[in-house]
Amino acid sequence: MRDSRRQWRYSLVAFAIGMLPAACIGSPASGQDAGSLGMIVERAAGRVLVVDTRKRTELAAIGGLGDLSHASVVYSPDQRFAFVFGRDGGLTKVDMLRRRIAARVMQAGNSIGGAISKDGRWVAVSNYKPGGVRIFSARTLEPVADIPAVYGDGRRSKVVGLVDAPGQRFVFSLYDAGEIWVVEFGDPARPVIRKFRNIGRQPYDALITPDGRYYIAGLFGEDGLALLDLERLDAGVRRILDHYGRGRRALPVYKMPHLEGWAQAGDYLFVPAVGAYEVLVLDRRDWRQVGRIPVHGQPVFVMARPDGRQVWVNFAHPRNDTVQVIDVATRRIIRELSPGKAVLHMEFTPKGEQVWISVRDDDRVDVYDTASFERLARLPADKPSGIFFSSRAYKIGL
Amino acid sequence: MTGFLVASGLAHAADVPDGARQTELLYLLKHDCGSCHGMTLKGGLGPALTPEALAGKQVSFLSRTILEGRPGTPMPPWGRMISEPEATWLAKMLLKGGIRAR
């Protein structure tokens, strides 16, 4: 058995040989490591920016990724490759160190995000058109499995809320059908599908708790959330927070909340209300609502700082020029920031000392210190939307 | 970077929004309506809004949908932000394909 030091050297050499065509860019000698990288989506330009999250600088712009409205990104387990899911069905694998497209396929007509398996071998994409999930080899992007979201009399549903779950599983929701499907793909060519029907009307997005145990779908068509315990599938889907949702005097929702950003802080979950200017607080031990925090507008992303002491919230059009910070201990708003017009997304550095905020209409990304709330940097970006750091590679469901 | 071209000759009625407002409306259409309908209007959670997809729909139906939303769907009422003549203008633009991806 080789000692670990030699093994490390061996990998370094193999890596350096692999890097030869890229000259020095991104080679270990330049001090660049994949762990401090991130990606900013320029939604209108079809381009992504590779950034260094420590130096707070842009390293490269990579174009030709198609329609990136609502694009999202997952990372390979070694953080080297980013998989970008475009709106137009494009799936692009980007080499973060060589800073170029490694592979790209047009896999559907209209898509809404995806997931990568825990072992990093499979990438799944959720599609609106044709409705379903397609699974690809993460190495080559060759198709491995096609799972049409067929329901009722043979119609196909749009698929939302696709996540990877413990035990080689992908979980997703069928928007038109009101179903949750759990797919086991121990043998990816023969996926085993378990379907949960009548979970509620119009599940529009979903999340998996950071421990990978619970899958929760938000319902647009009725009040409440659909909860599936992934350790106890036989118990089925149950409804929680029955009064959550549109309510009788609901306000119009000009942008759908995103559940991926739901914040878990200790035993509490902070979730965006739908049709109300509130963040709701749930006790995740019994799934009961224990509080509501009035906020500036319809919340879109409600995100916990990695240490769980702060929750940052942005808002839907037309109140989307503001970010509010909730102190978890007191459940009070302790800060209100006005980064600029159309704040679309926020991303924390892995330990949470900084947050990056995309300001679409002002064409820039601002970096704030989360303790002093001072602005540390400002990066130009063309209509920036999602920001995705490579530390997501180590998080369940991201 | 403007992603849309406005075909000339469409704007002639008395109630047509002025040039600056037209630019605002088209920006709103692309980026905010685009959240659900796609930036190229080819659809997303909401249906496609291309002339082909809207063929056969009345201007009045589309402008009412913009102003009042569609109950039972995520389409919200935009009447607080968009006036009736503006909604009519947008509906005509969508139907005639006066707005298209560059």
Side-chain angles (χ1 to χ4, degrees):
Chain A
M1 281 242 259
R2 258 189 316 222
D3 67 65
S4 62
R5 195 181 161 89
R6 273 181 65 187
Q7 196 162 359
W8 179 81
R9 273 193 190 147
Y10 172 78
S11 346
L12 195 63
V13 169
F15 182 68
I17 289 168
M19 294 303 295
L20 277 178
C24 300
I25 299 169
S27 74
S30 73
Q32 186 63 66
D33 60 289
S36 63
L37 296 180
M39 194 175 260
I40 296 170
V41 173
E42 294 185 319
R43 70 203 292 260
R47 200 164 47 208
V48 291
L49 305 178
V50 177
V51 294
D52 185 315
T53 60
R54 288 183 215 281
K55 299 190 181 110
R56 303 192 284 268
T57 52
E58 177 191 323
L59 299 172
I62 301 167
L65 276 76
D67 181 352
L68 293 183
S69 59
H70 212 292
S72 59
V73 177
V74 299
Y75 285 94
S76 62
D78 61 3
Q79 302 180 317
R80 174 162 176 186
F81 295 101
F83 298 87
V84 184
F85 307 100
R87 162 70 84 188
D88 55 6
L91 166 61
T92 312
K93 178 178 178 179
V94 175
D95 186 330
M96 297 294 283
L97 292 181
R98 291 188 185 181
R99 292 164 209 159
R100 64 180 192 201
I101 293 174
R104 176 170 159 79
V105 290
M106 289 302 291
Q107 56 82 42
N110 204 311
S111 308
I112 193 72
I116 186 165
S117 64
K118 306 240 166 293
D119 59 9
R121 293 174 69 196
W122 318 111
V123 172
V125 192
S126 64
N127 292 320
Y128 283 167
K129 207 185 295 167
V133 169
R134 286 187 171 145
I135 301 178
F136 299 85
S137 153
R139 201 169 59 79
T140 62
L141 297 192
E142 272 169 50
V144 176
D146 185 13
I147 304 167
V150 176
Y151 73 105
D153 53 10
R155 278 176 297 171
R156 288 176 77 150
S157 171
K158 298 184 182 95
V159 171
V160 299
L162 170 65
V163 301
D164 70 300
Q168 286 292 72
R169 291 185 290 187
F170 288 123
V171 187
F172 51 87
S173 300
L174 279 60
Y175 173 78
D176 305 289
E179 298 183 7
I180 293 174
W181 290 12
V182 178
V183 175
E184 304 237 12
F185 56 100
D187 176 1
R190 286 181 195 75
V192 178
I193 304 169
R194 182 138 177 202
K195 300 176 185 177
F196 297 86
R197 297 202 167 89
N198 303 314
I199 62 132
R201 289 188 56 230
Q202 294 168 320
Y204 63 93
D205 198 4
L207 70 94
I208 186 165
T209 48
D211 59 6
R213 174 149 184 194
Y214 298 100
Y215 179 83
I216 304 171
L219 302 173
F220 195 85
E222 57 189 278
D223 287 350
L225 303 164
L227 172 78
L228 181 61
D229 182 346
L230 297 172
E231 282 179 21
R232 294 176 61 236
L233 289 182
D234 288 338
V237 171
R238 73 176 162 117
R239 190 67 63 85
I240 57 169
L241 224 63
D242 268 341
H243 53 285
Y244 168 92
R246 310 277 291 149
R248 264 184 309 144
R249 286 163 53 200
L251 297 164
V253 178
Y254 292 105
K255 184 177 170 67
M256 301 290 269
H258 284 55
L259 304 193
E260 179 199 304
W262 280 27
Q264 182 174 333
D267 286 326
Y268 299 102
L269 277 171
F270 291 73
V271 304
V274 182
Y277 292 177
E278 290 173 346
V279 168
L280 307 181
V281 188
L282 260 73
D283 187 329
R284 64 156 281 181
R285 289 164 296 194
D286 58 10
W287 302 105
R288 267 203 283 228
Q289 185 181 319
V290 293
R292 59 177 66 216
I293 303 163
V295 290
H296 173 77
Q298 165 67 54
V300 175
F301 282 100
V302 174
M303 307 182 88
R305 197 170 70 176
D307 63 6
R309 290 176 194 168
Q310 289 177 355
V311 168
W312 290 55
V313 188
N314 76 328
F315 303 97
H317 180 89
R319 303 176 74 87
N320 56 2
D321 59 348
T322 297
V323 168
Q324 288 183 321
V325 183
I326 296 168
D327 174 59
V328 167
T330 59
R331 294 183 199 159
R332 292 221 170 116
I333 291 165
I334 52 165
R335 200 75 172 200
E336 183 169 303
L337 304 171
S338 304
K341 269 190 81 185
V343 171
L344 288 198
H345 196 219
M346 303 171 285
E347 178 85 335
F348 291 97
T349 47
K351 296 196 176 179
E353 78 285 0
Q354 296 168 30
V355 64
W356 291 42
I357 296 177
S358 57
V359 191
R360 184 193 69 197
D361 290 358
D362 290 343
D363 293 311
R364 57 184 161 75
V365 168
D366 285 356
V367 183
Y368 286 90
D369 181 306
T370 61
S372 68
F373 303 105
E374 255 175 80
R375 198 178 62 226
L376 301 172
R378 187 163 256 191
L379 285 81
D382 182 3
K383 304 279 172 282
S385 53
I387 307 172
F388 304 89
F389 292 164
S390 60
S391 50
R392 287 175 172 247
Y394 303 139
K395 288 179 188 156
I396 288 174
L398 293 186
Chain B
M1 302 258 314
T2 61
F4 291 107
L5 295 176
V6 183
S8 58
L10 285 170
H12 47 72
D15 275 338
V16 161
D18 66 25
R21 182 59 181 157
Q22 289 184 9
T23 306
E24 271 176 29
L25 288 170
L26 294 180
Y27 190 89
L28 183 85
L29 183 70
K30 178 177 182 182
H31 288 286
D32 295 294
C33 305
S35 298
C36 283
H37 297 282
M39 274 192 305
T40 54
L41 302 181
K42 288 179 187 160
L45 195 67
L49 300 179
T50 55
E52 301 77 48
L54 297 178
K57 301 263 195 306
Q58 302 292 315
V59 170
S60 56
F61 167 77
L62 294 178
S63 65
R64 248 191 72 201
T65 302
I66 294 169
L67 295 170
E68 294 170 19
R70 287 287 290 279
T73 79
M75 177 66 183
W78 292 84
R80 290 182 195 179
M81 282 162 254
I82 296 175
S83 72
E84 204 166 332
E86 288 168 353
T88 303
W89 179 79
L90 270 176
K92 285 181 182 165
M93 294 293 285
L94 289 169
L95 277 173
K96 291 183 185 175
I99 303 157
R100 58 187 172 85
R102 189 168 55 178

